[in-house]
Amino acid sequence: DLRPTITVAFSIPFALASFTGGTADNAIPAKATAQITLASKDRAAAAAFLADMERTLRSRYGDREPALALATEETPLPPAVFAQPQADAILKYVTESMDGVHTMSPDAEGLVESSSNLGLVAAGPDGVEIRQMPRSSVAARLEEIETRQRALGAECGLAVAVEEKSCPWPVKPGSRLVAAIAGAYRRVNGTPMKVSAIHAGLECGAFAALSADLDIASIGPDILGAHSPGETLLLPSVAKTWRLLATLLPSLG
């Protein structure tokens, strides 16, 4: 989604006790929860702010997120809260961190070349952990994202560590392997195959890093809602993929 993010200032004084969201660094979080403390006199104003914010978000993203909702409930007073500078640093990193498209591919129209997603946030009594996954088909773009995140982390007083990198897998126009797969698909199904470049971190990148001469393509069954709680595999497409491989591999040999 290339639409700009909505940013609204919350002017009611509050203290942050905890903030959690997401389940994995390679998935876009489906929900997040924050626990805050505020003066009793500001309770109604805070509820009104959140109701107005929900309407704003629904008008902006309701077509993509029909179940979008903001909910509040009273909880016991937490034993501790973050000092204000700490809370400000956490929220600054989360809101200013690269989360979305960084660059578009110059080789394939409409293809994202590099991006990063904020995958997991866990801030509470045990400390602060923020995980995200940059992806790119070009190594230099990954370095750009890493440099930017390190600078933001330093500004927020957070240590940034790169645990694992997704190996770039550049687009290869005129791939002979893709042409062979498309031919096998037509022979099996009698219809042309849809060939497209996608933006994702795949194991293919690890093989591409070993040799620039390798011709690599990725095929597989149909999946809906990848990396979401509703991810679904369409079982009939598994058999179609198997038949394609059974036709393709002898022709390559």
Side-chain angles (χ1 to χ4, degrees):
D1 191 345
L2 300 180
R3 293 175 289 192
T5 302
I6 296 173
T7 303
V8 179
F10 185 64
S11 59
I12 302 168
F14 72 95
L16 178 68
S18 65
F19 180 27
T20 60
T23 55
D25 52 8
N26 68 338
I28 297 173
K31 61 181 180 180
T33 302
Q35 185 181 25
I36 65 172
T37 64
L38 68 165
S40 298
K41 66 180 180 63
D42 292 327
R43 182 187 306 171
F49 172 89
L50 288 175
D52 183 63
M53 190 65 191
E54 180 178 296
R55 287 190 292 270
T56 300
L57 291 172
R58 279 186 169 276
S59 67
R60 188 74 176 84
Y61 301 108
D63 58 331
R64 296 286 185 89
E65 301 289 345
L68 188 153
L70 299 179
T72 62
E73 63 178 24
E74 292 191 29
T75 63
L77 195 66
V81 297
F82 285 101
Q84 198 58 50
Q86 294 176 320
D88 290 343
I90 294 168
L91 298 178
K92 177 180 177 65
Y93 189 91
V94 170
T95 55
E96 296 185 14
S97 176
M98 183 178 295
D99 187 43
V101 175
H102 177 48
T103 56
M104 301 297 292
S105 171
D107 300 314
E109 184 177 355
L111 175 65
V112 175
E113 179 182 65
S114 61
S115 71
S116 181
N117 77 277
L118 194 63
L120 185 147
V121 176
D126 296 328
V128 179
E129 181 183 22
I130 302 172
R131 300 184 67 89
Q132 53 204 135
M133 177 172 279
R135 305 172 184 83
S136 181
S137 56
V138 179
R141 296 290 181 251
L142 283 176
E143 295 298 327
E144 289 176 1
I145 296 175
E146 182 180 329
T147 298
R148 174 173 164 175
Q149 297 306 97
R150 285 189 183 280
L152 178 60
E155 188 177 345
C156 296
L158 299 171
V160 177
V162 179
E163 295 184 349
E164 182 180 356
K165 289 189 178 183
S166 176
C167 296
W169 178 25
V171 173
K172 189 172 185 178
S175 165
R176 294 175 60 188
L177 178 59
V178 170
I181 295 172
Y185 185 92
R186 180 182 284 275
R187 291 195 299 275
V188 171
N189 298 290
T191 57
M193 181 181 74
K194 179 182 179 181
V195 179
S196 62
I198 64 169
H199 177 61
L202 295 177
E203 294 81 354
C204 300
F207 292 100
L210 298 176
S211 173
D213 296 328
L214 286 177
D215 198 353
I216 307 173
S218 174
I219 63 174
D222 296 329
I223 295 176
L224 304 178
H227 298 299
S228 76
E231 180 172 336
T232 303
L233 169 67
L234 302 184
L235 290 177
S237 66
V238 176
K240 180 181 286 188
T241 303
W242 171 253
R243 290 193 296 269
L244 172 59
L245 282 172
T247 301
L248 172 67
L249 294 180
S251 69
L252 296 178

